[in-house]
Amino acid sequence: MKWLWLTGLFLLFSVPLIWNWDTDTIPVHNGFGWDGNMYGMYTQFLPEAIEQGAINTYRMQRMLIPAALYWVMKGAGLERTQEQVIQAYRLVNMFFAGLAIIAFFMLAWSAHWFNDTIWLGFAAIFFSMPFMKMSLFYPILADIPAFAIGLWAVFFWVKGWRFALLFSLLLGAFVGPTMWVYGLLLLPGSLKMAKQEEPVLNIWWALISPILFMIIWFWVWQSTPGVFFEPPSFSQSVRLNLLPFSLLIVLGYLWWVGQQVRTLPSMLRQFKTIQWLWLFPFAIVILLVQWIIYQYAGDEEVPQTALSYLHLLVQQSVTYPGGFLIAHFTYIPGIVLIGLFASPFVHRIIQQFGPGPWLLTVVTLGMALGSETRQLMQVLPWIVFLFLVVIDNYWRFNPILLVIIILGLWLAAPWWVHFATEAGNLDGQFLIEPAQRYFRYHGPWMNQNTWFTQMLSLGGVVAFLALTWRFGLIQTIGRTDSSVKKNL
């Protein structure tokens, strides 16, 4: 029965990839797209790009795949035409999707998850738009390699292989700029923590993150007044006078994130261990990465700095009420789904993992306020792992309901939708068809109809799950302690 399930999952994952392989390609820049246009050209003309200083320090942090493909295609004697490069990226995406699948099952078996946790987790990750559609429609984005390397980093932490974790950080630093946050796993923290008492909720600890957000929000508002009115201004909540309501949703989310902070006092004692010494080799890895970047990068101004990212994070978090959550639900509904199940119990698991994993969790949940989900692909594996550990410890699913959820996620990954048509392209008016077929899945550019439709969909899913829980198709295990299951 177990292998029948796994075979079915693989078939459901494979069929859309075969279906979509060459049927629909982003029409911008002949298939290279916007962000991918420079990386596609780097793949074609890498030595010239380095010689001319055409790769700035920001893009150098995403150069692993373009550089590797240049040397592989050159060594194989392949022409690096646009079509050949696009096909090469599609193959790379499938290669890394395979590596991600291997990492997921190795992670699941190492953590001794129940079968329903494994099947739900597989669907949550791989039955999603980035894997089933974007990897072929817009292949030059490095989302799939970034996710796969992040997943391997989590696996290495679970196994306690810290040198392998450092190596994954070194590779990942050239796939996604925020991959460095996995270095927090080198701080004290383990899956084998001793059982601890659950700390009493202190409301002041829980209010830290909302208060910090409001301080930053007011600072951005005062320093850059137009940041909430820039195009597309008609897709911002300020247009509908909903900014206060939107802020309340953000603050409520951050208050939930703050629930994890209450575990901090009980974890600080773990810094007495010598595990923090792993920060020294991590610092060496960072210095090596920075040396490589500045050795080969040009002087061109970077498209995004830490300050501009902070502005973007604050701006996008209030794009329509709950827009960041709705956008994540649209792009990766399965991860939002398992987050709904995990949210009441996350703090119990985090308490046992220790300060390093706790910090990584808070940082990742904070970055999730930015509603363009694909920018988070390298850090999402940690959140997926954390949510699945929680679900494995506290929830069980009726097999029939599990099938319904899995098929629902399969259909919710819009692999069956053609985003581009011969009658138009994605340039110009981003909030109308056919561009809207693409941009509806990226929160900052959702129009009002798309936002409202997706909000109703999310509400419907929550109501459906509440009913299934009410009628016993989903059950809590009812643990009375916060110990992590079995021999994690």
Side-chain angles (χ1 to χ4, degrees), residues 402-423:
L402 195 58
V403 170
I404 293 173
I405 293 175
I406 289 173
L407 291 178
L409 291 175
W410 186 68
L411 292 173
W415 55 269
W416 38 271
V417 177
H418 284 187
F419 296 147
T421 65
E422 294 180 2

Side-chain angles (χ1 to χ4, degrees), residues 146 149-151 153 168-169 171-174 176-183 378-379:
I149 294 174
L151 199 57
S168 70
L169 293 175
L171 286 181
F174 296 100
T178 56
M179 185 70 186
W180 63 268
V181 297
Y182 281 106
Q378 58 266 29
V379 294

Side-chain angles (χ1 to χ4, degrees), residues 160-176:
W161 299 342
R162 286 183 165 78
F163 281 113
L165 175 57
L166 283 169
F167 180 72
S168 70
L169 293 175
L170 180 60
L171 286 181
F174 296 100
V175 178

Side-chain angles (χ1 to χ4, degrees), residues 170-382:
L170 180 60
L171 286 181
F174 296 100
V175 178
T178 56
M179 185 70 186
W180 63 268
V181 297
Y182 281 106
L184 294 171
L185 293 179
L186 295 168
L187 290 170
S190 169
L191 282 175
K192 300 177 181 178
M193 303 300 296
K195 177 182 173 182
Q196 300 176 14
E197 296 290 332
E198 183 175 349
V200 178
L201 173 61
N202 185 321
I203 190 172
W204 296 110
W205 285 107
L207 288 176
I208 288 177
S209 51
I211 290 173
L212 284 176
F213 177 84
M214 286 308 300
I215 291 173
I216 297 172
W217 193 88
F218 277 116
W219 170 67
V220 172
W221 180 276
Q222 294 298 316
S223 62
T224 315
V227 72
F228 299 104
F229 299 95
E230 294 173 349
S233 60
F234 46 86
S235 70
Q236 303 295 328
S237 57
V238 291
R239 179 83 173 186
L240 303 176
N241 296 318
L242 291 174
L243 186 57
F245 183 53
S246 188
L247 279 172
L248 286 176
I249 293 177
V250 173
L251 294 177
Y253 168 77
L254 288 173
W255 183 83
W256 172 76
V257 174
Q259 300 301 300
Q260 321 316 319
V261 179
R262 64 174 128 164
T263 65
L264 180 60
S266 64
M267 291 190 294
L268 290 178
R269 68 174 70 97
Q270 296 169 27
F271 277 100
K272 296 178 181 179
T273 69
I274 63 171
Q275 192 173 325
W276 61 271
L277 292 175
W278 279 94
L279 290 180
F280 288 103
F282 177 50
I284 294 174
V285 169
I286 292 178
L287 291 174
L288 177 61
V289 168
Q290 292 302 311
W291 180 83
I292 294 173
I293 289 174
Y294 285 98
Q295 183 76 14
Y296 295 100
D299 297 327
E300 179 191 3
E301 184 179 353
V302 298
Q304 189 173 81
T305 63
L307 183 60
S308 67
Y309 178 75
L310 185 62
H311 279 208
L312 194 65
L313 198 71
V314 174
Q315 179 188 19
Q316 291 184 1
S317 64
V318 292
T319 302
Y320 287 129
F324 67 99
L325 180 60
I326 293 170
H328 296 324
F329 173 73
T330 306
Y331 199 65
I332 46 170
I335 296 179
V336 174
L337 176 69
I338 61 177
L340 291 174
F341 287 116
S343 58
F345 308 110
V346 168
H347 67 277
R348 300 182 184 181
I349 300 298
I350 282 295
Q351 179 194 358
Q352 295 182 82
F353 282 180
W358 170 81
L359 281 170
L360 177 56
T361 301
V362 172
V363 169
T364 305
L365 291 173
M367 287 194 294
L369 282 173
S371 54
E372 192 166 0
T373 317
R374 70 173 196 82
Q375 296 180 353
L376 300 172
M377 290 301 289
Q378 58 266 29
V379 294
L380 284 177
W382 169 256

